[in-house]
Amino acid sequence: MGIFSAASGADWLIAGLGNPEPKYDGTRHNTGFAALDYLAKSWSCELNRSKWQGLYGIATVGEHRVMLLKPLTYMNLSGQSIAPAAAFYKLPRTHIIVLCDDIAQQPGHIRIRPSGSAGGHNGLKSIISSTGGEDFVRVRIGVGAKPRPDYDLADWVLGKFPAEDAKLLADRLPDVEGACRLIMDGRLSEAQNRYNH
């Protein structure tokens, strides 16, 4: 069983990273939001509560009670939503899973890591700063590298997926869901072996 704190009723926090305005829907940088929406639908969880500068819901997944959180702070301040939510639920960083985009991987590729640096990702940088450490799980979902070195990175990550890449992403979302289940069950290495590609 998971560790439940007396006041909380959640033993894991899964956060999807993105930007809140409708104009960012379907952009590379909102891949974390898309993945979280998929989890919420799969786990019959409505993200309809508002607190900690985010939208959230609580899901029951196997033996776990999971808070699904969508920070509404904009990407670069994601930690300002995640850190207080985790503190309220008395969750250690090792019980936080962050879903985010990764320009270092091809569209649809997944890389699961239990810790590490931000790797140039401002959302992860904010979470490390706000929570005080790097030992939270990140599920990085490939969105593809910018087409040429001089292409503006902000324009790239805030651009929308072409249809082919959008399908590659959608096809991998069930694997993100499966990976999160394994991670929460203490089987992170199995999740990496099965889904890191």
Side-chain angles (χ1 to χ4, degrees):
M1 289 290 288
I3 303 163
F4 292 86
S5 76
S8 72
D11 62 336
W12 281 88
L13 189 163
I14 302 178
L17 304 191
N19 288 308
E21 292 180 67
K23 68 181 180 180
Y24 296 112
D25 291 350
T27 62
R28 295 176 179 87
H29 229 17
N30 273 35
T31 297
F33 274 11
L36 195 79
D37 286 339
Y38 182 88
L39 295 187
K41 186 175 181 182
S42 299
W43 297 341
S44 300
C45 176
E46 288 191 47
L47 305 177
N48 58 4
R49 304 186 212 178
S50 180
K51 199 171 182 180
W52 305 294
Q53 301 183 75
L55 284 176
Y56 76 100
I58 304 290
T60 300
V61 184
E63 297 182 336
H64 305 287
R65 290 271 290 166
V66 189
M67 179 191 187
L68 300 180
L69 174 66
K70 189 181 282 190
L72 301 181
T73 54
Y74 290 91
M75 178 67 78
N76 295 359
L77 300 176
S78 298
Q80 294 182 13
S81 173
I82 293 167
F88 177 83
Y89 284 96
K90 299 182 173 63
L91 298 175
R93 281 188 301 271
T94 52
H95 276 231
I96 299 172
I97 301 171
V98 175
L99 314 175
C100 65
D101 59 301
D102 187 356
I103 61 167
Q105 297 184 89
Q106 291 302 310
H109 284 211
I110 293 172
R111 185 174 61 162
I112 301 161
R113 299 185 66 199
S115 63
S117 71
H121 193 288
N122 288 333
L124 294 177
K125 193 181 301 180
S126 172
I127 298 164
I128 291 167
S129 173
S130 296
T131 62
E134 298 181 350
D135 53 340
F136 55 89
V137 180
R138 61 287 310 266
V139 178
R140 300 183 68 141
I141 304 163
V143 299
K146 58 185 186 175
R148 57 182 192 274
D150 64 333
Y151 199 97
D152 184 75
L153 180 59
D155 286 347
W156 179 248
V157 296
L158 297 178
K160 294 188 185 288
F161 285 105
E164 183 181 341
D165 289 354
K167 184 179 187 310
L168 290 171
L169 171 66
D171 287 348
R172 288 309 301 277
L173 293 180
D175 290 345
V176 172
E177 192 265 346
C180 287
R181 285 180 177 269
L182 288 174
I183 293 164
M184 292 189 293
D185 284 342
R187 298 155 66 189
L188 185 136
S189 292
E190 185 179 337
Q192 290 176 307
N193 291 336
R194 187 179 296 185
Y195 298 119
N196 271 6
H197 59 84

